[in-house]
Amino acid sequence: MTVSRVINNTGNIREETRERVLDAIEKLNYHPNSMARGLNNNRIHSIGVATSLSSSHILVASSPFFHGLLNGIESSLMKHQSDLVISTRRGHKGTSDYFRLFYERKVDGIILISTYLDSSDVEEMLANNIPCVVIGTRTDSDRIVCIDSDNFQAGKEITERLIEKGHRKIGFIRVSEQNSNVEERYRGFGEAMKAHGLEPGEEHVFSVRMEEEEEAGRRVMKAVAAMADPPTAVIASNDFLAIGMIREAQRLGIPIPGELSVVGFDAMETGRVIQPSLYSMRQPLGEMGFLAAETLMRLIEDPHDAGSSRIFPMEPVPGDSMAPPK
Amino acid sequence: MTVSRVINNTGNIREETRERVLDAIEKLNYHPNSMARGLNNNRIHSIGVATSLSSSHILVASSPFFHGLLNGIESSLMKHQSDLVISTRRGHKGTSDYFRLFYERKVDGIILISTYLDSSDVEEMLANNIPCVVIGTRTDSDRIVCIDSDNFQAGKEITERLIEKGHRKIGFIRVSEQNSNVEERYRGFGEAMKAHGLEPGEEHVFSVRMEEEEEAGRRVMKAVAAMADPPTAVIASNDFLAIGMIREAQRLGIPIPGELSVVGFDAMETGRVIQPSLYSMRQPLGEMGFLAAETLMRLIEDPHDAGSSRIFPMEPVPGDSMAPPK
DNA sequence: CATCAAAATGTTAACGCAAACATTTTGATC
DNA sequence: GATCAAAATGTTTGCGTTAACATTTTGATG
């Protein structure tokens, strides 16, 4: 007990005793057992991060998005002296399988990174009664805190930039998976077009499978190149696709932005390096991750705190891949 | 106890009882507490990954390197039904601070990712008697398993490619931090030069701080551009530096590889996208991570297993940034 | 239907810690 | 040096699990 008091700096300890204890700890190379601690006082000082972003490998798949968020999450955890348990496990078919890991590990709270949330996920989160913050999508339930960026506004804004430049025939690449980010971006696109009395040509709206990433972009580029009446600009719903398009255009000898403007979302590093550099919209991922973790910490500390959702605006990241149409 | 038996599928259980237990588990939304489990049987089924790669943020800093390894580590863990605890914590001045976290969490084993290992780290690892595998560097101790790639061979090989192309004046960018990868690459460079009767010009060997990454590459490019007797090729000790050089060369209007060949190491994604694409050497990171985790699992299962170190060869990743000198 | 081994289930204890409560020590005061 | 509150230290207990051991139930056999 005295050792416990020394370690946790609680209660009254005579200075000499403290030193003796610390000496012994040093000598014995003692480390407190955080499992026993957690078992005892129900606080393990770690949180779980789950993602249902499509694709098999949790850390790798989701690269730019996941990475930026994790950076922000980390900063917050460091502040709160908590750790991160990242799951990797057991078939992991979907979200709830990740959750199971966290229930077993008894993490203090969960951050769910997901661009799509179905109602069973929501129910499960509520039922399990564990503090939880969602990043990357929104729900109707006011009992779940969501941190997201304003994909609708971003889609609208980037479309408006193109229209300002004089584009009328603007294409859009959607993805076939359920993905609220992409859906919102597309909705913003439609809204901006309508506001300017434009309508997207049916054959100018593409739908691809998200996992194909760059390859899908290349395919769209080929399709555009073969069109009798091609769009003068294409909005790719993410930078992978946009980069695929640009690289394929290079291969085909189609000048970008001369012949076609291409823009994307998420401001990936490769978009900065490619020629022409990619015009994109950035989500403030670091801030989002940080806020999510801070909020989660508050929920953990105080079960009565309801937390509050927050939508971050996205910012344009200028690049040379956008120009007026010929 | 019966519940325990059902969950762990041990002992004899009547079918009807098993069903009743499973029903109750379902109904009560029960999840076994892995802390209590770990406390009891000293196996928590998770491993720690520590990195002393320079820079503040563990996950972000080390991007391409760390990322690739983690991918491989993950595949193995999935196979073995173990989890990953990634630390984020407490000032984390150096390696041993990360270790402390793992001692407290009582992980089953540790993978240390580090390009530099000092003897106190080694001593600590041995003293604490916890299964441990090191990736990214080597030690003399045969009691520590090391998984590394052959940076010496890679440095030698890429230098030889340049010499084959006709280069005689070849520069090299080193980093000032202690980093066995870079040191080995440089040693390979020196060896290849010597083998061909060449000697690197003193002013053609640069030393930069690793954290500066791209910016440092840009600075080197400026320096090269201002030289009376510039090298005809520069080997950057990593792709960040090489990409900085290429981008600065673009800005300065210096044709690459026409005026100067630039090559790097690690085959980052941005190197594939940049124009000209970057000639680089790839470490088989996924394989390395996978093997490290597999080995660690063996060490954990069987304390008598000594494991065995392994050095992977690095492979050239061709790119357009290398050409014969003018 | 008594017997008995196998099958099924139950009980106890220990893992390491810290909350709650209990006891001892200290040293200031009269 | 007796008194007493504060300071310091000690004891017991329970957190949830499972190994080890104990007991009860089952059903096949003579």
Side-chain angles (χ1 to χ4, degrees):
Chain A
M1 198 56 229
T2 298
V3 173
S4 174
R5 278 191 268 256
V6 169
I7 289 178
N8 297 299
N9 250 308
T10 53
N12 294 316
I13 298 281
R14 207 192 323 174
E15 194 49 37
E16 188 229 320
T17 314
R18 159 176 278 111
E19 275 160 25
R20 271 172 48 223
V21 170
L22 291 175
D23 271 11
I25 285 178
E26 174 81 5
K27 204 163 294 159
L28 300 171
N29 195 16
Y30 166 87
H31 295 278
N33 183 326
S34 72
M35 289 187 285
R37 267 178 153 148
L39 193 56
N40 184 2
N41 59 16
N42 243 346
R43 193 55 204 279
I44 183 81
H45 286 282
S46 46
I47 69 160
V49 173
T51 173
S52 67
L53 293 178
S54 55
S55 180
S56 49
H57 287 286
I58 173 174
L59 278 168
V60 175
S62 26
S63 246
F65 191 57
F66 192 66
H67 220 238
L69 291 173
L70 220 41
N71 191 6
I73 292 172
E74 243 193 335
S75 309
S76 166
L77 292 188
M78 208 130 60
K79 211 177 103 188
H80 292 275
Q81 311 223 322
S82 274
D83 306 315
L84 199 56
V85 174
I86 290 184
S87 77
T88 282
R89 177 143 109 174
R90 294 180 199 174
H92 63 72
K93 299 283 156 38
T95 312
S96 71
D97 236 47
Y98 281 117
F99 279 10
R100 172 145 27 114
L101 164 64
F102 297 139
Y103 300 146
E104 291 179 8
R105 278 275 186 280
K106 308 290 173 193
V107 294
D108 300 328
I110 297 177
I111 292 181
L112 173 61
I113 299 177
S114 177
T115 51
Y116 179 71
L117 210 57
D118 80 17
S119 56
S120 71
D121 291 338
V122 174
E123 271 163 39
E124 181 172 2
M125 281 163 42
L126 292 175
N128 273 281
N129 206 33
I130 177 172
C132 187
V133 172
V134 176
I135 304 181
T137 188
R138 284 172 244 178
T139 92
D140 299 329
S141 168
D142 59 350
R143 293 179 51 207
I144 292 180
V145 180
C146 298
I147 308 291
D148 198 3
S149 54
D150 198 339
N151 289 288
F152 175 75
Q153 163 259 339
K156 205 169 134 189
E157 189 165 336
I158 206 165
T159 307
E160 269 161 3
R161 298 280 158 114
L162 286 167
I163 295 173
E164 276 165 26
K165 292 264 185 198
H167 291 275
R168 292 293 171 267
K169 292 185 288 181
I170 304 175
F172 196 101
I173 313 180
R174 309 173 68 173
V175 301
S176 51
E177 291 89 349
Q178 272 181 310
N179 180 308
S180 68
N181 279 3
V182 172
E183 282 158 26
E184 287 292 292
R185 289 167 189 179
Y186 181 66
R187 220 164 55 77
F189 162 70
E191 175 90 1
M193 292 290 274
K194 205 164 72 184
H196 288 80
L198 300 171
E199 198 167 345
E202 193 174 324
E203 61 163 8
H204 294 167
V205 176
F206 305 87
S207 184
V208 302
R209 292 224 331 278
M210 196 176 229
E211 290 99 57
E212 297 176 291
E213 297 189 339
E214 205 182 304
E215 195 46 43
R218 287 181 177 270
R219 234 184 21 243
V220 170
M221 188 66 231
K222 279 185 216 142
V224 168
M227 279 183 177
D229 181 27
T232 61
V234 172
I235 303 175
S237 55
N238 67 53
D239 278 2
F240 283 119
L241 296 170
I243 284 165
M245 287 191 70
I246 293 179
R247 296 190 74 184
E248 185 64 20
Q250 286 168 349
R251 211 180 60 83
L252 296 172
I254 297 173
I256 288 183
E259 191 74 28
L260 181 75
S261 290
V262 173
V263 299
F265 293 86
D266 297 339
M268 280 172 46
E269 183 55 27
T270 40
R272 309 286 77 227
V273 162
I274 201 168
Q275 297 276 6
S277 61
L278 180 60
Y279 195 108
S280 191
M281 298 291 295
R282 168 180 290 137
Q283 312 190 43
L285 295 174
E287 281 177 70
M288 290 167 68
F290 185 81
L291 180 66
E294 288 289 305
T295 304
L296 183 59
M297 289 298 158
R298 282 220 323 277
L299 300 187
I300 292 169
E301 301 292 344
D302 175 10
H304 300 296
D305 190 332
S308 52
S309 296
R310 170 100 160 264
I311 310 300
F312 285 84
M314 290 178 72
E315 283 181 0
V317 176
D320 304 328
S321 64
M322 180 200 291
K326 272 191 322 202
Chain B
M1 197 58 227
T2 299
V3 173
S4 175
R5 278 190 267 256
V6 169
I7 289 178
N8 297 299
N9 249 310
T10 54
N12 293 316
I13 297 280
R14 205 193 323 172
E15 193 48 36
E16 187 230 322
T17 314
R18 157 177 278 110
E19 274 162 24
R20 269 171 50 224
V21 169
L22 290 175
D23 269 11
I25 286 179
E26 173 82 5
K27 204 163 296 161
L28 299 171
N29 195 16
Y30 165 87
H31 297 279
N33 183 328
S34 71
M35 289 188 284
R37 269 181 154 150
L39 192 56
N40 185 350
N41 59 14
N42 242 347
R43 192 61 200 280
I44 181 81
H45 286 282
S46 46
I47 70 160
V49 173
T51 172
S52 68
L53 294 178
S54 55
S55 179
S56 47
H57 288 287
I58 173 176
L59 277 167
V60 175
S62 24
S63 245
F65 191 57
F66 192 67
H67 221 237
L69 291 173
L70 221 40
N71 192 6
I73 292 172
E74 243 193 334
S75 309
S76 166
L77 292 188
M78 209 131 62
K79 210 177 102 187
H80 292 274
Q81 310 223 325
S82 273
D83 306 316
L84 199 56
V85 175
I86 289 184
S87 77
T88 282
R89 179 140 110 174
R90 293 182 197 173
H92 62 73
K93 299 284 156 38
T95 313
S96 71
D97 236 47
Y98 282 118
F99 279 11
R100 171 143 28 112
L101 163 65
F102 297 139
Y103 300 146
E104 293 178 7
R105 278 275 187 279
K106 308 291 173 194
V107 294
D108 301 328
I110 297 177
I111 292 181
L112 173 62
I113 300 177
S114 177
T115 51
Y116 178 72
L117 211 55
D118 80 17
S119 55
S120 71
D121 290 338
V122 175
E123 273 163 37
E124 182 172 1
M125 279 163 40
L126 292 175
N128 272 281
N129 205 33
I130 175 172
C132 188
V133 172
V134 176
I135 304 182
T137 189
R138 284 172 245 179
T139 94
D140 300 329
S141 168
D142 60 350
R143 293 180 50 209
I144 292 179
V145 179
C146 297
I147 308 292
D148 199 3
S149 54
D150 198 340
N151 289 287
F152 175 76
Q153 163 259 338
K156 204 167 135 190
E157 188 166 336
I158 204 165
T159 308
E160 269 161 1
R161 299 282 158 113
L162 286 166
I163 294 173
E164 277 164 23
K165 291 264 183 196
H167 291 275
R168 291 295 171 268
K169 293 184 289 182
I170 304 176
F172 196 101
I173 313 180
R174 309 175 66 176
V175 302
S176 51
E177 292 87 352
Q178 275 181 308
N179 181 307
S180 67
N181 279 4
V182 172
E183 282 158 26
E184 287 291 293
R185 289 165 190 181
Y186 181 65
R187 220 164 55 75
F189 162 69
E191 176 91 0
M193 291 290 274
K194 206 162 74 185
H196 290 79
L198 300 171
E199 197 168 345
E202 194 174 323
E203 62 162 9
H204 293 168
V205 176
F206 305 87
S207 183
V208 301
R209 294 224 331 279
M210 196 176 229
E211 290 99 55
E212 296 174 294
E213 297 188 338
E214 205 183 303
E215 195 46 41
R218 288 179 176 272
R219 236 183 22 243
V220 170
M221 189 65 231
K222 280 185 215 144
V224 168
M227 280 182 177
D229 182 28
T232 62
V234 173
I235 303 174
S237 55
N238 66 54
D239 279 2
F240 283 120
L241 297 169
I243 283 163
M245 287 191 69
I246 293 179
R247 297 190 74 186
E248 185 64 19
Q250 286 168 348
R251 211 181 59 85
L252 295 171
I254 296 172
I256 288 183
E259 191 74 29
L260 180 75
S261 289
V262 173
V263 300
F265 293 86
D266 296 340
M268 279 171 46
E269 183 54 28
T270 40
R272 308 286 78 226
V273 162
I274 201 168
Q275 297 278 7
S277 60
L278 181 60
Y279 195 107
S280 190
M281 299 290 296
R282 169 180 290 136
Q283 312 189 44
L285 295 174
E287 281 177 70
M288 291 167 68
F290 185 81
L291 180 65
E294 288 290 306
T295 305
L296 183 61
M297 289 297 161
R298 283 221 320 278
L299 300 186
I300 292 170
E301 300 293 344
D302 174 10
H304 299 296
D305 190 330
S308 52
S309 294
R310 170 98 162 268
I311 311 299
F312 284 84
M314 289 177 71
E315 284 180 358
V317 177
D320 304 327
S321 65
M322 181 199 292
K326 269 192 322 203

